[in-house]
Amino acid sequence: MLECSLAVDIGASSGKMLVGYIKNGKLRLQEVHRFENRLIKRDKHFCWDLQSLFSEIVTGIHASRDQGFVPQSIGIDTWAVDFVLLGENDELLTDAVSYRDPRTDGMMEEVFQQISKERLYLETGIQFQKFNTIYQLYYLKKNHPEILDKAKSFLMIPDYLNYLLTGNKTNEYTNATSTQLVNAFTKKWDRELLDQLGINKEMFQEILPPKSTLGNLKPELSREFGFDMKVLLPATHDTGSAVVSVPESNDTIYISSGTWSLIGVENNFPICVTKALDYNFTNEGGIDYRFRFLKNIMGLWMIQEVKRNYHNRYTFADFAEMADQVDDFHSTVNVDDDRFLKPKNMIEEIQKYCRETNQTVPETSGEVAKCVFDSLSVSYQTAIDQIEEVYEKEFKKINVIGGGSQNEMLNQLIADTTQKEVIAGPFEATAIGNLASQLISLGEIENLNEARQIVKNSFEMKVFRSKNKTEGLK
């Protein structure tokens, strides 16, 4: 039996569990379990099925043992902003309502009537998105105040899953920052904001940073698995873990490419300046209290939905190939338009947008795919221009990590559009970063710099350069 650490990486459409260990100075990975994650409808809201997700985690722990591994530790990362509230007896008072649910429509504007947009940004440094936790909580305050009055514990999705493993409650730092309720400078819950909004501040837990030890498994789980292990906190925000996998460089912008595209740079301090506010950049917390200065852009969600609209007749590789074969089609959409957040039919919404903006309407599957990929590359270029303006410097390279790093057509398109060198990989960036944090906590890796060097030496990365010297899509 091989000792290892176990990473649980859950995204908006699927989850996976990978074991990792150091051998001959390299990080070795093996996937032991994969599962689907989908929204369910409860009481007219789109919700996550947390009991199903926890059941899959239990199945994955068993699978790791069945495949010859003995995990010494486990760490969980998920998407951001969503949460549950627990009552006095730790009963669930709320479902885990998804950020894609329309309940927050109009809530951001109502919050601005009580707290100015400028103050919110200068104190928290967080990008304005209508589904941020602050607006979800304000919805409850306005429509179900009795729930907030009863709430004794606020737990974000990975916090709750960790609670089910250990019985211990905490709010992990990187995910907590996404709520738009953590002061960027004190790194604690902003109690003045909570008081001003009338939100029960006593339900929030102590904020612990990545690499903290939450505890061991509940005794009944240890007996079920036949072994015990530590539950450690990686950066529980999946992008926070992914960025751990990006080799440090002063001239590299990263794109964490998955359901969402997170494009930005790592910083040692928050950039809460007017220009960053104007461009709606965020300063999310990272490992070692670093900051991820980035913009959250609609990502491969659009092509995922297009795939579903075509009844999964085509693979993602098919869409890339079909788009690459389309020459004379150049319509693009604003990928950050709220209409693409959860439309009834993504293809029809794309077509409608093109029709409304007097562009050629995509009809074939290849044209639809090309429209999505071209639109993403244009949004990346815009964000890069804004980053370079704020930093007053040019960045030479782009490191694409995550699932999108496997899309060679899109990587080449990014290189052609931006006229920058694109480095693709590592593919499993989030799980790798999750594991790296655990291994640092366990003392098997000394620090973040060593972790990044190990990642660089362990995984092959592909380089894309512009095939033309002309200016790309604008």
Side-chain angles (χ1 to χ4, degrees):
M1 303 292 281
L2 186 61
E3 290 189 356
C4 63
S5 291
L6 182 57
V8 182
D9 175 24
I10 307 177
S13 56
S14 64
K16 55 199 168 193
M17 297 174 65
L18 295 91
V19 298
Y21 54 94
I22 302 293
K23 183 177 181 181
N24 298 326
K26 292 187 176 182
L27 179 60
R28 311 289 181 172
L29 297 181
Q30 182 173 318
E31 184 178 303
V32 294
H33 185 50
R34 181 176 286 266
F35 50 93
E36 197 173 86
N37 184 23
R38 62 174 61 182
L39 294 175
I40 56 177
K41 202 77 176 285
R42 284 182 179 159
D43 296 328
K44 300 181 181 179
H45 292 296
F46 293 105
C47 302
W48 305 105
D49 189 344
L50 295 190
Q51 293 307 314
S52 174
L53 292 180
F54 184 70
S55 176
E56 294 289 358
I57 292 173
V58 170
T59 298
I61 295 172
H62 281 295
S64 68
R65 182 63 183 263
D66 293 343
Q67 295 174 43
F69 298 99
V70 181
Q72 304 301 295
S73 67
I74 186 172
I76 300 174
D77 67 74
T78 75
W79 62 97
V81 306
D82 293 340
F83 62 92
V84 294
L85 300 180
L86 306 187
E88 188 171 1
N89 299 312
D90 293 331
E91 73 279 14
L92 281 168
L93 298 179
T94 64
D95 289 314
V97 179
S98 168
Y99 60 87
R100 295 194 186 278
D101 190 85
R103 68 176 179 164
T104 53
D105 290 352
M107 294 299 103
M108 185 164 63
E109 292 74 17
E110 291 193 27
V111 167
F112 290 163
Q113 294 176 12
Q114 300 188 49
I115 301 174
S116 72
K117 184 176 183 179
E118 291 74 15
R119 179 189 165 196
L120 259 181
Y121 191 80
L122 293 175
E123 293 191 14
T124 69
I126 297 300
Q127 176 181 4
F128 292 96
Q129 299 175 110
K130 71 173 187 176
F131 48 72
N132 287 351
T133 314
I134 184 175
Y135 311 118
Q136 296 194 44
L137 286 170
Y138 190 78
Y139 166 85
L140 289 177
K141 176 66 179 177
K142 181 178 178 180
N143 296 280
H144 301 284
E146 72 284 357
I147 293 178
L148 284 183
D149 291 341
K150 292 179 183 178
K152 299 299 182 183
S153 302
F154 165 90
L155 298 176
M156 304 190 77
I157 302 302
D159 300 331
Y160 180 67
L161 296 172
N162 281 328
Y163 164 70
L164 294 180
L165 285 175
T166 65
N168 299 329
K169 302 172 191 172
T170 193
N171 295 136
E172 186 275 329
Y173 171 66
T174 65
N175 223 329
T177 62
S178 74
T179 63
Q180 211 168 16
L181 288 167
V182 172
N183 187 287
F185 301 94
T186 67
K187 302 176 179 62
K188 298 181 182 298
W189 295 112
D190 196 317
R191 291 181 171 265
E192 288 186 10
L193 289 180
L194 292 167
D195 280 339
Q196 193 160 345
L197 291 173
I199 294 174
N200 172 17
K201 58 180 180 291
E202 301 307 320
M203 66 184 178
F204 295 91
Q205 310 300 304
E206 178 187 4
I207 296 177
L208 292 182
K211 301 185 294 186
S212 297
T213 300
L214 186 57
N216 286 54
L217 295 176
K218 291 179 178 178
E220 60 268 28
L221 288 175
S222 294
R223 290 192 292 271
E224 177 180 343
F225 301 137
F227 59 87
D228 197 8
M229 59 180 167
K230 291 182 178 180
V231 178
L232 303 177
L233 297 180
T236 66
H237 187 323
D238 50 10
T239 310
S241 273
V243 171
V244 172
S245 303
V246 179
E248 277 192 293
S249 175
N250 291 327
D251 64 351
T252 301
I253 290 172
Y254 62 78
I255 301 177
S256 181
S257 180
T259 301
W260 289 88
S261 292
L262 296 305
I263 180 167
V265 292
E266 189 177 64
N267 220 28
N268 289 322
F269 50 86
I271 305 177
C272 303
V273 297
T274 302
K275 185 71 71 176
L277 167 61
D278 291 342
Y279 289 148
N280 205 20
F281 272 78
T282 201
N283 293 271
E284 293 173 348
I287 192 170
D288 291 345
Y289 289 122
R290 300 182 183 210
F291 288 86
R292 290 171 286 122
F293 183 72
L294 59 83
K295 177 169 282 191
N296 199 348
I297 296 170
M298 191 78 73
L300 298 178
W301 159 257
M302 294 183 71
I303 203 70
Q304 291 166 359
E305 283 295 281
V306 167
K307 180 176 182 290
R308 186 179 65 83
N309 293 157
Y310 280 118
H311 306 290
N312 296 312
R313 192 159 68 242
Y314 306 111
T315 66
F316 293 122
D318 289 337
F319 283 118
E321 183 177 351
M322 289 186 293
D324 203 29
Q325 293 173 353
V326 175
D327 293 324
D328 297 324
F329 185 87
H330 304 291
S331 298
T332 60
V333 302
N334 175 9
V335 298
D336 291 321
D337 193 307
D338 284 348
R339 68 200 298 167
F340 300 120
L341 194 59
K342 190 167 177 51
K344 291 182 179 179
N345 186 295
M346 183 66 76
I347 295 172
E348 291 178 1
E349 203 65 46
I350 290 170
Q351 292 172 330
K352 183 179 177 183
Y353 183 101
C354 290
R355 197 173 293 115
E356 291 173 359
T357 52
N358 297 316
Q359 299 182 84
T360 303
V361 176
E363 300 293 348
T364 68
S365 54
E367 289 174 347
V368 171
K370 188 172 189 299
C371 183
V372 170
F373 294 137
D374 282 353
S375 300
L376 284 175
S377 69
V378 169
S379 69
Y380 296 160
Q381 176 67 70
T382 300
I384 289 168
D385 289 343
Q386 293 169 347
I387 290 171
E388 292 181 335
E389 183 179 346
V390 171
Y391 273 76
E392 297 181 348
K393 64 174 286 187
E394 180 182 0
F395 291 83
K396 303 291 186 183
K397 300 176 183 178
I398 300 170
N399 193 170
V400 180
I401 56 177
S405 67
Q406 294 187 305
N407 189 327
E408 296 193 3
M409 178 267 173
L410 181 56
N411 293 332
Q412 186 60 57
L413 182 59
I414 295 170
D416 292 340
T417 302
T418 64
Q419 299 290 297
K420 296 181 189 294
E421 181 177 284
V422 173
I423 304 162
F427 161 56
E428 294 287 7
T430 303
I432 291 168
N434 180 324
L435 288 164
S437 297
Q438 293 186 59
L439 292 170
I440 294 172
S441 181
L442 292 170
E444 296 186 36
I445 296 176
E446 184 175 350
N447 53 35
L448 179 59
N449 289 338
E450 182 182 348
R452 284 176 162 158
Q453 190 60 49
I454 289 173
V455 171
K456 190 173 182 180
N457 295 337
S458 302
F459 302 98
E460 185 177 350
M461 302 182 195
K462 190 168 183 178
V463 176
F464 297 81
R465 295 182 177 88
S466 176
K467 291 182 178 179
N468 58 71
K469 295 300 181 183
T470 58
E471 189 172 340
L473 290 166
K474 290 289 186 180

